[in-house]
Amino acid sequence: MQGNIKMHTRNLDFFYGGFQALDRISIEFIQNQVTALIGPSGCGKSTYLRCLNRMNDLIPGIRVKGRVMLGTKDIYDPSVDVVTLRRRVGMVFQKPNPFPKSIFENIAYGLKVNGVKDKAKITAIVEKSLKQAAIWEEVKDRMDESALGLSGGQQQRLCIARALAVGPEVLLMDEPASALDPIATQKIEELITELSSKLTIIIVTHNMQQAARVSDRTAFFYMGKLVEVNSTDTLFTKPELKQTEDYITGRFG
């Protein structure tokens, strides 16, 4: 396996009350690569993704066992500040969720929360983030307008820009294009490819063609277990296990 490991989990178990949703998941995420998590609905992909920036902490009665390492630090260590963690490990959700604020304020918000006061600096970062998210040209003359007036695809790129503004090292994407039309989806996929030169990206997708197009590595989940993880090319053309092959060829799932 090439490259530095940016993040990894070791024997990660996750419980909602008495229900075990994840069973001993160990995956390594390589810096500046895109890893896709695939598998049928309810197999634990999104639960796993949300473990990587402690989004599940908000749910009562959950338990986590095992390790989730960002660099050399376990993110579940009591000394970890969750706000700082979520700045380093950003997240983009399935449905675009812009704040009911102006386009500018959507991007500036996270910077202000993190204590950036210099207006010129905020303005520069807002512009840079919107450019990185490939939406600057569409919104540069509308910065004071409500973000809710944008199309779904534009809103999703705005949410990506918002995540980028605070300078994350890892970007988690939970089916970021599933609510979008094919043209908007293509823009998001192109963006993922572009951003991977700067970030480590982990994407949950139901769409196997999408996983094949955007990812370097793919992990196949089934019933809360990791069945197989490999380079995307290998997993899709020469999977090691029949279960993976059956899912990929549409025999079940």
Side-chain angles (χ1 to χ4, degrees):
M1 191 183 305
Q2 301 301 309
N4 298 329
I5 296 167
K6 181 69 192 173
M7 199 170 194
H8 70 273
T9 63
R10 277 282 171 277
N11 297 326
L12 182 69
D13 291 337
F14 182 84
F15 300 85
Y16 293 106
F19 172 70
Q20 184 167 2
L22 296 173
D23 185 5
R24 296 196 308 274
I25 309 286
S26 297
I27 306 180
E28 296 174 343
F29 299 103
I30 312 299
Q31 190 156 347
N32 301 117
Q33 285 197 359
V34 180
T35 305
L37 312 180
I38 64 168
S41 292
C43 67
K45 310 181 294 290
S46 291
T47 298
Y48 177 76
L49 193 75
R50 290 195 298 266
C51 285
L52 302 179
N53 72 344
R54 292 183 52 176
M55 235 21 179
N56 292 321
D57 287 19
L58 308 169
I59 303 165
I62 62 131
R63 275 189 306 128
V64 180
K65 287 166 67 182
R67 302 174 80 188
V68 180
M69 307 297 291
L70 177 58
T72 56
K73 184 81 174 168
D74 188 338
I75 69 168
Y76 285 90
D77 187 286
S79 67
V80 168
D81 174 58
V82 178
V83 175
T84 306
L85 168 69
R86 292 195 188 130
R87 195 167 69 214
R88 293 179 67 195
V89 184
M91 183 140 191
V92 176
F93 297 90
Q94 184 170 357
K95 288 197 171 66
N97 59 343
F99 304 136
K101 297 172 180 285
S102 72
I103 291 167
F104 183 89
E105 284 301 327
N106 261 274
I107 312 299
Y109 178 80
L111 298 168
K112 292 175 178 176
V113 167
N114 285 305
V116 181
K117 293 188 174 66
D118 181 338
K119 281 187 178 160
K121 185 176 181 185
I122 290 172
T123 302
I125 294 174
V126 167
E127 181 175 333
K128 181 185 172 196
S129 305
L130 290 165
K131 282 177 173 169
Q132 281 183 318
I135 189 175
W136 170 250
E137 290 301 325
E138 293 159 62
V139 300
K140 63 183 181 188
D141 303 321
R142 305 169 58 185
M143 298 295 274
D144 296 331
E145 292 178 26
S146 168
L148 302 178
L150 296 170
S151 72
Q154 288 173 324
Q155 286 186 10
Q156 192 62 300
R157 279 180 287 143
L158 183 81
C159 293
I160 293 170
R162 188 175 69 194
L164 295 175
V166 293
E169 300 159 45
V170 179
L171 189 60
L172 310 176
M173 306 180 99
D174 193 357
E175 297 199 47
S178 66
L180 306 179
D181 64 60
I183 292 170
T185 297
Q186 187 184 352
K187 285 189 173 167
I188 298 288
E189 289 183 6
E190 287 167 359
L191 187 52
I192 290 167
T193 303
E194 215 167 287
L195 290 173
S196 66
S197 63
K198 305 174 189 74
L199 294 167
T200 303
I201 297 177
I202 306 164
I203 176 172
V204 165
T205 178
H206 263 108
N207 181 328
M208 274 181 294
Q209 288 79 19
Q210 183 172 76
R213 284 192 298 264
V214 303
S215 70
D216 301 287
R217 300 177 78 235
T218 297
F220 169 49
F221 281 68
Y222 187 68
M223 305 282 284
K225 289 184 158 68
L226 173 66
V227 178
E228 189 170 340
V229 59
N230 214 324
S231 79
T232 298
D233 286 349
T234 304
L235 193 97
F236 278 99
T237 57
K238 294 194 286 285
E240 287 172 14
L241 299 172
K242 185 172 189 312
Q243 192 178 11
T244 311
E245 187 182 341
D246 286 351
Y247 181 68
I248 287 166
T249 55
R251 290 197 195 104
F252 81 93

